[in-house]
Amino acid sequence: MLDASWFTEQVPDAGSAFSLKIKQKLHTEQSPFQYLEIYETESFGNLMVIDGCTMVSTRDNFFYHEMMSHPVLFIHPDPKRVWIIGGGDCGTLREVLKHPSVEHAVQIDIDERVTRLAEIYFPELCESNNDPRAELKFIDGIKWVKDAQPNSVDIIIVDSTDPIGPAEGLFSEQFYRDCFNCLTPNGMVVQQSESALFHLKLIGEMRGAMSRAGLSHLQTLFFPQCLYPSGWWSATIASKAPLASFREQECADKAFSTVYYNSDIHKAALAQPEFFKQAMTAESV
Ligand code: SAM
């Protein structure tokens, strides 16, 4: 048994847990939407926890933020308008704004407190918040997308918490229909899609709902993320139009720095494990 100097996220359904040794608790609060905790850890820098689930750490957030943004931005032929639904720690926004083609990026998180805490405890993730192309909104992303004008966005990145509480509706067919309506003809959604080892059924259901909503060209990509359950995470891209190959040469020549993502990682992330292919064929998605 671990003592109180460890933070542990248990995943009872999977009979597993992940722990980090804690130096000190820096902050706790109940926001109007969720319970927020910030810790200083021994070896992962600062850690944000929402409703008991690990969200972001200083040390390993680059895997997630880079893989939620760069693959889809290099697949889209000319991404100009990007929305990030959730993403309150601002790390995905920072990565999106590294792309010079992006003219306007809106981050729509339901909970302003997540961003205010990120500004204090993860300032490096918030360093592009004052970019003139950036806009921060603090409202429900489900309503934002439902009320949006047709043809108004190229890419929607759904950087949400797990499909419980305020994020539940972000995994619904109705939400994907609303996304379809406001995307441009070659528009696409990318959504964090949990772990293929622990949440295969959820990924199948999510891909089915995306498909039925008209976002029928699908690609799930895989990447490591030791903070999250199973240590192996995924994102699913869902497009109106057939998915082109990515702009490989532009990716190889990119003028900005990344820690994990590059053109070889892009190709490797698209490789589909055998059990995943079989499960998705069985689900017909
Ligand atoms: N990287 C994380 C993960 O996969 O576990 C996600 C991090 S990000 C901090 C998740 C954000 O989604 C939170 O800030 C939360 O407030 C936001 N969120 C949850 N439901 C939402 C909704 N309906 N609309 C907008 N933002 C939402």
Side-chain angles (χ1 to χ4, degrees), residues 87-227:
D89 57 58
C90 305
T92 299
L93 178 67
R94 182 184 70 166
E95 296 305 313
V96 165
L97 290 168
K98 288 179 179 177
H99 289 253
S101 70
V102 172
E103 294 172 353
H104 189 205
V106 191
Q107 177 187 290
I108 305 108
D109 198 294
I110 200 167
D111 193 345
E112 181 170 1
R113 290 303 303 152
V114 174
T115 298
R116 298 302 164 226
L117 291 176
E119 287 167 347
I120 299 168
Y121 297 108
F122 300 90
E124 69 285 5
L125 300 183
C126 300
E127 64 190 16
S128 299
N129 289 7
N130 293 324
D131 185 308
R133 299 170 296 159
E135 191 178 350
L136 304 187
K137 300 258 180 212
F138 298 108
I139 57 165
D140 189 341
I142 299 168
K143 181 170 165 37
W144 170 267
V145 170
K146 189 175 169 33
D147 295 346
Q149 294 297 311
N151 226 17
S152 53
V153 64
D154 298 312
I155 294 176
I156 301 175
I157 299 176
V158 189
D159 178 357
S160 73
T161 39
D162 297 339
I164 41 170
E168 196 176 347
L170 295 171
F171 291 75
S172 71
E173 187 175 326
Q174 184 55 54
F175 174 70
Y176 302 132
R177 286 190 189 285
D178 294 338
C179 289
F180 181 94
N181 288 337
C182 57
L183 282 166
T184 48
N186 54 7
M188 44 193 84
V189 170
V190 61
Q191 180 158 16
Q192 74 90 0
S193 48
E194 312 273 311
S195 162
L197 187 65
F198 287 1
H199 313 113
L200 195 58
K201 187 165 175 288
L202 181 148
I203 300 177
E205 288 168 358
M206 182 179 171
R207 288 172 54 115
M210 288 168 151
S211 220
R212 289 191 299 278
L215 300 164
S216 53
H217 303 278
L218 300 166
Q219 213 156 47
T220 296
L221 47 90
F222 303 93
F223 50 94
Q225 190 67 63
C226 68
L227 204 60

Side-chain angles (χ1 to χ4, degrees), residues 150 247 253 258:
R247 291 178 282 119
D253 297 341
T258 46

Side-chain angles (χ1 to χ4, degrees), residues 21-39:
K21 192 145 180 28
I22 299 303
K23 273 190 186 161
Q24 59 172 323
K25 187 179 267 194
L26 297 170
H27 185 86
T28 56
E29 77 177 76
Q30 176 65 52
S31 82
F33 302 99
Q34 47 213 352
Y35 188 64
L36 309 172
E37 296 167 83
I38 309 279
Y39 295 93

Side-chain angles (χ1 to χ4, degrees), residues 52 59 196 252 274:
R59 184 175 182 186
E274 203 52 33

Side-chain angles (χ1 to χ4, degrees), residues 1-8 18-25 39-43 47:
M1 293 297 283
L2 300 172
D3 63 35
S5 65
W6 291 77
F7 170 82
T8 297
F18 177 75
S19 298
L20 284 174
K21 192 145 180 28
I22 299 303
K23 273 190 186 161
Q24 59 172 323
K25 187 179 267 194
Y39 295 93
E40 182 186 1
T41 73
E42 287 279 351
S43 59
L47 170 71

